[in-house]
Amino acid sequence: MRINESTIANDEGVRATWAEVNLSRLRANLEAIRAWVHPAKIMPILKANAYGHGLAEVAKFLSPLVDYIGVAVLEEGILLRRLGVRAPILVLGGIWGNQIPKYLEYDLTLTAPSVERLEQIDAAAQQMGVRARVHLKIDTGMERIGVHYYNAHTLQEAAVRCCRNVEVEGIFSHFANADAADLSHARLQLERFQEVLHFYERHSLPMPPLRHMANSAALLSLPESHFDMVRPGILLYGVYPSPHTPRRIEVRPALAWKSRVVYFKVVQPGHPVSYGSTWQSDHPVRVVTVPVGYGDGYFRSMSNRAQVLIRGRRYPQIGRICMDQMMVNIESDSAYNGDEVILLGEADGEQISAEDLAEWAGTIPYEILTNINTRVPRLYIQDSQ
Ligand SMILES: *Cc1c(COP(=O)(O)O)cnc(C)c1O
């Protein structure tokens, strides 16, 4: 393993809790996706700090390997440009008028979700003497941003009519239920999008070159939705979107979350552990303290449910998870100050997955990853050769 410390605040070896991001796995996951969706292009989604993996490092590593990059908000796009990322960047979320010049200044592709916004983009581009690159956003059943599929022609017509300062490079939509066991709503959305695209044939107008719709779940379960480009998020990071998604390609988690034992004690019966005294033993047990808590993004709702790996064995977390620390019951086993504690990851054939943490916390793997706080330094590694 080669260690790249460039982005952490030189505290590797000091901080006891860290997240290890394996860039080689990100690349392998990307290649697995590429082989499956070929010849469609790939727009990895790097929003929310690259799903907790660290926006800057992930973008620097992936941008030379991909066709496009997707982020959620303007600030993420600006950050990437300031880092020198040259790949085209689409900002997927909604915009308000004031932001448009910033998009243009930083050469970011805009999502045009309405006629009004498209006209504002055109006007701003004209004023600045530039050409804006936009993707039209069609709402086929998410009821989030985008023009409704049954009114889409108004946006499509406006894009043809109004906008000399706008290049309509793409048109896209987003699934609400592609990760469900029942794909009927996803199929309905796909049909609606296809119908919207027929507009161009009916009017003998050129199709925007980048039609895209598939998130990770649709990319796996609905190959008809690949179109010209796919937008994988969670799958790129090596996590399947839901238990219902067919695992048609193999990906592996890129992130491991680790800490170290910082204290050891024997807890006697009748002496409950942590805030609220929610846990106690009826016999003496060995308990270690681990310096991670909900202030790092280790959900408090996992108290008395989570498990960790120490020396390749699984142990239960006990008592309330505190802001900065938590306790683990190792019963009569041994553990020493400084021993590695795996919160998320694998060792000696044992694994704790983002899905496990999500189940303990009552959420989805997405939230487990994006919730890992900035207090947790990211350490980037690559498999050698
Ligand atoms: C977040 C997002 C994605 C990626 O979703 P995954 O389920 O992580 O693959 C794709 N498209 C849009 C519009 C998104 O907001």
Side-chain angles (χ1 to χ4, degrees):
M1 301 268 223
R2 186 160 65 76
I3 293 192
N4 169 3
E5 299 179 22
S6 65
T7 59
I8 61 165
N10 272 337
D11 53 2
E12 198 259 323
V14 178
R15 179 84 171 101
T17 299
W18 74 101
E20 222 165 77
V21 178
N22 186 327
L23 296 171
S24 308
R25 282 212 180 161
L26 275 186
R27 192 201 332 250
N29 295 340
L30 177 71
E31 293 315 324
I33 293 168
R34 200 192 300 285
W36 169 249
V37 304
H38 181 83
K41 294 176 172 6
I42 301 180
M43 173 194 283
I45 304 301
L46 304 188
K47 62 191 177 187
N49 200 24
Y51 288 50
H53 293 62
L55 177 58
E57 285 293 319
V58 170
K60 273 192 272 176
F61 180 75
L62 284 182
S63 62
L65 310 175
V66 300
D67 305 290
Y68 230 109
I69 287 174
V71 294
V73 298
L74 174 60
E75 303 89 295
E76 293 168 333
I78 291 175
L79 186 94
L80 292 184
R81 285 287 181 249
R82 287 187 175 157
L83 285 167
V85 171
R86 307 271 281 277
I89 299 171
L90 173 65
V91 180
L92 297 160
I95 54 186
W96 63 295
N98 237 4
Q99 296 178 320
I100 294 172
K102 284 279 174 217
Y103 278 85
L104 301 177
E105 183 187 332
Y106 285 94
D107 189 27
L108 301 169
T109 307
L110 296 97
T111 292
S114 68
V115 174
E116 188 196 4
R117 203 66 79 231
L118 184 67
E119 287 171 350
Q120 287 172 354
I121 294 168
D122 188 54
Q126 180 172 28
Q127 206 165 38
M128 292 172 67
V130 297
R131 223 167 131 73
R133 215 178 313 113
V134 309
H135 288 206
L136 307 179
K137 180 67 189 283
I138 313 300
D139 184 345
T140 55
M142 178 78 178
E143 299 297 339
R144 198 164 64 179
I145 64 170
V147 63
H148 282 124
Y149 64 95
Y150 44 83
N151 292 326
H153 62 96
T154 59
L155 182 59
Q156 292 169 296
E157 282 158 7
V160 174
R161 187 186 65 238
C162 93
C163 302
R164 266 173 300 136
N165 310 288
V166 165
E167 175 197 348
V168 179
E169 181 195 48
I171 180 166
F172 73 112
S173 190
H174 188 56
F175 285 107
N177 293 301
D179 60 349
D182 175 0
L183 289 175
S184 54
H185 185 247
R187 290 214 169 83
L188 183 62
Q189 282 194 262
L190 180 59
E191 280 164 29
R192 288 168 175 170
F193 189 56
Q194 282 161 336
E195 182 53 34
V196 166
L197 295 175
H198 283 150
F199 167 93
Y200 297 98
E201 285 153 35
R202 270 203 308 278
H203 297 86
S204 306
L205 289 165
M207 183 78 77
L210 294 177
R211 303 163 294 174
H212 50 105
M213 189 170 192
N215 55 6
S216 296
L219 175 168
L220 291 168
S221 61
L222 283 172
E224 316 89 284
S225 71
H226 291 176
F227 294 104
D228 305 303
M229 187 159 73
V230 298
R231 304 192 305 264
I234 196 94
L235 196 64
L236 178 73
Y237 304 101
V239 178
Y240 293 91
S242 92
H244 309 297
T245 332
R247 305 195 164 196
R248 291 205 168 118
I249 62 173
E250 203 199 326
V251 295
R252 296 170 73 195
L255 183 143
W257 192 3
K258 299 180 179 178
S259 188
R260 290 188 190 281
V261 170
V262 294
Y263 205 82
F264 171 95
K265 65 168 39 131
V266 175
V267 174
Q268 299 296 340
H271 292 259
V273 171
S274 193
Y275 292 123
S277 303
T278 60
W279 187 93
Q280 61 179 300
S281 175
D282 59 7
H283 57 281
V285 288
R286 296 173 168 186
V287 170
V288 296
T289 300
V290 184
V292 65
Y294 62 82
D296 299 293
Y298 199 83
F299 283 95
R300 184 173 176 274
S301 56
M302 299 191 294
S303 295
N304 290 310
R305 307 186 67 187
Q307 297 174 354
V308 303
L309 303 178
I310 302 174
R311 299 176 160 244
R313 295 192 60 178
R314 221 171 241 279
Y315 296 104
Q317 185 283 322
I318 52 168
R320 290 259 168 82
I321 293 165
C322 312
M323 189 186 291
D324 318 296
Q325 309 183 66
M326 65 176 192
M327 278 61 87
V328 171
N329 176 10
I330 61 166
E331 278 294 332
S332 53
D333 287 353
S334 301
Y336 297 91
N337 199 287
D339 274 358
E340 198 168 280
V341 178
I342 297 180
L343 310 167
L344 167 58
E346 49 203 272
D348 306 313
E350 283 279 359
Q351 189 191 9
I352 291 176
S353 64
E355 288 89 340
D356 291 332
L357 291 164
E359 196 183 312
W360 298 327
T363 183
I364 54 174
Y366 293 76
E367 197 183 9
I368 295 296
L369 295 174
T370 56
N371 200 52
I372 301 175
N373 205 291
T374 49
R375 189 169 72 175
V376 179
R378 270 64 170 176
L379 185 69
Y380 294 90
I381 61 173
Q382 295 192 50
D383 299 331
S384 29
Q385 96 221 225

